[in-house]
Amino acid sequence: MKRIAPTLLALLLLSAPVAPVLAQPAIGTEQADSATRLLLAEIQARYGDALGEGELRLRLKDPVTRPVTGVEQMNFDPATRRFAAMLRSKMGEQEVRFRVDGEVWMEILVPVPTRRISAGEVIAAGDLTLIPMRSDQVSGRTLTSAQSMVGMEVKRLLSPGRPVQASSISQPVIIQRNKPVTVEFRQGPLLVTARGRALADAGLGDLVRVQNLDSNRTVTATVTGPGTVSAAD
């Protein structure tokens, strides 16, 4: 047998046609999607009112690799958010049933800072973005409305990507302690004003203790604007 020189062999290999590599679809992707859609619809129809607000999400314990045509039975525990269901499938002319297990949760969009925001800064719309979070992992103190956060003053450092607690922000201070204020007393159409001195810092809409410099009385008033408070006589 004649030996082929290494250089000639390399040229032959380079000139040989290369068979195309075809991308193979993920096994069971279509089946898993159909199972998920059917299960989500069934859980939403049966237990939607008890699940709370948000987008319903589902995770199966084991992947589904066969076509699914319907949901036969459903057992759901609202406390653990786990479920077991019997799914119906058709294999050729034969109809079979099999069990699946999984968990569901509600997902909501939560505003988080896009940057590091220091104490004393006022939050702008561009400082926030929305991220999806499981509703059962969002505490009652977490702020979930970006609109309510815009224009608020930061009380302690906010980190990017982390939810904001209600105690971390407040209305910007427009009444400063020991600074003069105008105290308004309204009685129907009658408006009476007096000179006052704020006894604490306060923001718009806050209640603040104010000393009436005309009568030397201390009253509780509502901040209505910069340097202005409204009190009941």
Side-chain angles (χ1 to χ4, degrees), residues 74-90:
M74 170 75 67
N75 291 316
F76 176 65
D77 184 353
T80 63
R81 299 298 176 96
R82 297 189 178 278
F83 69 90
M86 294 296 294
L87 300 184
R88 186 172 63 250
S89 176
K90 195 168 185 179

Side-chain angles (χ1 to χ4, degrees), residues 43-53 76 81 106:
I43 293 171
Q44 184 70 55
R46 294 192 185 199
Y47 311 104
D49 293 341
L51 293 172
E53 297 183 359
F76 176 65
R81 299 298 176 96
M106 300 303 290

Side-chain angles (χ1 to χ4, degrees), residues 69-70 72 87-97:
T69 58
E72 288 286 312
L87 300 184
R88 186 172 63 250
S89 176
K90 195 168 185 179
M91 305 294 289
E93 296 299 322
Q94 184 180 8
E95 194 169 65
V96 297
R97 291 165 178 77

Side-chain angles (χ1 to χ4, degrees), residues 87-222:
L87 300 184
R88 186 172 63 250
S89 176
K90 195 168 185 179
M91 305 294 289
E93 296 299 322
Q94 184 180 8
E95 194 169 65
V96 297
R97 291 165 178 77
F98 62 98
R99 171 180 167 139
V100 293
D101 299 271
E103 64 171 331
V104 297
W105 65 92
M106 300 303 290
E107 194 173 80
I108 61 174
L109 293 176
V110 178
V112 297
T114 58
R115 64 178 181 88
R116 181 187 174 100
I117 308 178
S118 301
E121 290 190 71
V122 175
I123 299 174
D127 293 329
L128 301 172
T129 189
L130 297 174
I131 64 170
M133 288 187 66
R134 290 180 58 139
S135 60
D136 56 357
Q137 296 177 351
V138 177
S139 75
R141 298 183 298 275
T142 300
L143 296 171
T144 57
S145 169
Q147 185 177 1
S148 67
M149 296 169 61
V150 174
M152 301 292 277
E153 184 176 331
V154 175
K155 296 169 62 177
R156 55 181 65 91
L157 177 68
L158 302 181
S159 299
R162 299 191 62 180
V164 179
Q165 304 301 306
S167 58
S168 298
I169 64 174
S170 64
Q171 289 282 357
V173 173
I174 59 175
I175 297 291
Q176 295 181 324
R177 183 183 180 189
N178 290 328
K179 294 296 184 180
V181 295
T182 298
V183 185
E184 296 181 340
F185 298 93
R186 291 184 180 275
Q187 291 184 338
L190 181 64
L191 172 64
V192 178
T193 61
R195 296 177 305 119
R197 179 172 64 88
L199 301 181
D201 292 341
L204 184 66
D206 290 344
L207 293 175
V208 63
R209 300 279 289 172
V210 176
Q211 182 183 18
N212 185 334
L213 298 180
D214 294 332
S215 64
N216 208 31
R217 292 172 52 199
T218 298
V219 298
T220 299
T222 302

